[in-house]
Amino acid sequence: MAATVTPITHQHFKEASKFYNSPACLSISEPYILCSHQALHVAMTIDKAYIRGSMAAILSVLQHSSCPHNIAFHFLISATANASLLRATISSSFPYLYFRLYPFDHSSVAPLISTSIRSALDCPLNYARIYLASLLPSCIHRVLYLDSDLILVDDIAELAAIQLGDNSVLAATEYCSANFVSYFTPTFWSNPCLSLTFANRKACYFNTGVMVMDLDRWREGDYTRKIEEWMEIQKRMRIYELGSLPPFLLVFAGNIVPVDHRWNQHGLGGDNFDSLCRDLHPGPFSVLHWSGKGKPWARLDAKTPCLLDALWASYDLLDTSFAFDS
């Protein structure tokens, strides 16, 4: 049976301004940027529900980058999405952007996905980050993964340059004050065969919406399979409630390179139940992240914005002179 093609979007977006490299940037010709070690590789997912956020995120990356022409974007899309329409949508707003689309066939991961406390977390594309090492070409050794519900207000090169040391596979913002126990069920903690996975690890919650990833180490360690194994256990005995995050914690918590909190001021969308308005965490910020149920574009359309949604709105490329299908 032929796959059903799902239209990505009927929304129209304005063309963004063109951004230029600073004089200090290395010159990378387009035919070589895909496999260039000097290029900065960014991976994101794009779908119909989040494309407006994705377009704002792309704009924020380019606007604050000192070397925007040296960034290669890798967009993961559903295998049933209309790739031609999506490619045209991105190209019309960013004519000078170097990007590739990677259809994600979720047939292998779909049987492993358990229902979570918020339906948006159950989308198979939400799990595509687990498969980055196999989806992207093997010549790409390091990638910066970004969620679609965020904006950057600093140069992404500073974040991408974080060193992973001799052994770490990824870097992300860690929150050791969070109640780590709450991310797993009593079934998990009462079973020593499972809970001992955190023995000798100073395991802390970290957010997977902004990650620096060493794809070579990921491939060598077969970490996709390690995450899938925990998902298989979850299907049998319900050890967590929160979608794709807990398997990452089970495999990596306590073994990541911690990133300064300014690179992921997350939780601006409230929690997983309510679209609450949240204040920034104390201190400076370089990434504003609307993780949680509330998304800034939805609150703006509903005319119930939170104060910080106005910052996101300054990157919104939606062309309201066109009617669009919601």
Side-chain angles (χ1 to χ4, degrees):
M1 181 182 294
T4 301
V5 175
T6 305
I8 281 285
T9 180
H10 294 295
Q11 302 177 55
H12 294 266
F13 297 93
K14 296 173 285 189
E15 181 176 337
S17 300
K18 184 178 180 180
F19 300 100
Y20 298 89
N21 279 0
S22 68
C25 297
L26 291 170
S27 178
I28 307 173
S29 60
E30 187 168 308
Y32 303 104
I33 192 171
L34 177 65
C35 290
S36 171
H37 293 202
Q38 265 73 40
L40 195 162
H41 295 278
V42 176
M44 300 174 63
T45 60
I46 294 187
D47 65 3
K48 182 179 180 180
Y50 283 83
I51 187 165
R52 190 170 166 191
S54 301
M55 299 293 274
I58 297 165
L59 175 60
S60 73
V61 170
L62 297 175
Q63 183 171 319
H64 297 285
S65 172
S66 56
C67 304
H69 288 287
N70 294 1
I71 302 175
F73 282 85
H74 306 272
F75 298 121
L76 313 181
I77 66 172
S78 170
T80 59
N82 188 330
S84 297
L85 177 58
L86 178 54
R87 183 177 289 106
T89 300
I90 297 170
S91 296
S92 64
S93 287
F94 304 103
Y96 309 101
L97 189 72
Y98 180 88
F99 70 92
R100 283 197 173 190
L101 304 180
Y102 300 83
F104 175 57
D105 180 359
H106 55 72
S107 59
S108 60
V109 73
L112 299 177
I113 297 175
S114 303
T115 55
S116 63
I117 60 174
R118 183 160 61 92
S119 60
L121 301 176
D122 302 337
C123 173
L125 200 58
N126 196 42
Y127 290 79
R129 72 195 81 185
I130 297 170
Y131 298 90
L132 272 172
S134 57
L135 289 169
L136 270 55
S138 59
C139 63
I140 298 175
H141 307 292
R142 182 183 173 103
V143 71
L144 177 55
Y145 176 83
L146 298 177
D147 272 351
S148 297
D149 53 356
L150 55 76
I151 57 171
L152 281 84
V153 295
D154 271 330
D155 193 340
I156 194 172
E158 184 180 345
L159 174 60
I162 288 172
Q163 297 300 307
L164 293 176
D166 295 331
N167 301 304
S168 295
V169 178
L170 60 86
T173 49
E174 240 181 8
Y175 297 88
C176 293
S177 61
N179 182 7
F180 190 78
V181 172
S182 67
Y183 288 94
F184 301 95
T185 64
T187 299
F188 172 84
W189 292 113
S190 63
N191 187 328
C193 293
L194 301 177
S195 59
L196 281 174
T197 190
F198 292 121
N200 303 316
R201 290 161 61 182
K202 188 183 177 184
C204 297
Y205 159 74
F206 64 90
N207 186 275
T208 58
V210 180
M211 295 187 292
V212 180
M213 306 173 69
D214 186 312
L215 298 183
D216 288 338
R217 292 177 184 174
W218 186 289
R219 296 171 183 124
E220 291 165 5
D222 198 14
Y223 285 101
T224 295
R225 185 60 197 149
K226 287 180 170 67
I227 290 176
E228 288 179 333
E229 287 171 354
W230 281 110
M231 294 173 68
E232 290 166 356
I233 293 173
Q234 160 76 353
K235 292 293 285 189
R236 297 197 301 269
M237 53 196 306
R238 196 72 181 178
I239 58 174
Y240 55 79
E241 305 285 354
L242 266 178
S244 64
L245 170 64
F248 266 90
L249 297 179
L250 285 160
V251 174
F252 292 111
N255 292 323
I256 70 168
V257 172
V259 176
D260 191 283
H261 288 184
R262 71 185 176 95
W263 288 108
N264 194 348
Q265 285 266 0
H266 73 297
L268 301 183
D271 58 26
N272 284 302
F273 301 100
D274 297 299
S275 178
L276 302 172
C277 292
R278 293 271 183 87
D279 292 328
L280 290 171
H281 306 298
F285 58 88
S286 298
V287 173
L288 299 175
H289 186 187
W290 280 262
S291 58
K293 185 177 181 180
K295 303 306 173 189
W297 55 90
R299 296 195 293 219
L300 288 162
D301 287 349
K303 302 190 186 310
T304 57
C306 298
L307 182 63
L308 291 172
D309 294 346
L311 292 174
W312 181 90
S314 64
Y315 298 91
D316 187 11
L317 288 173
L318 184 71
D319 190 345
T320 55
S321 64
F322 287 88
F324 61 92
D325 189 354
S326 60

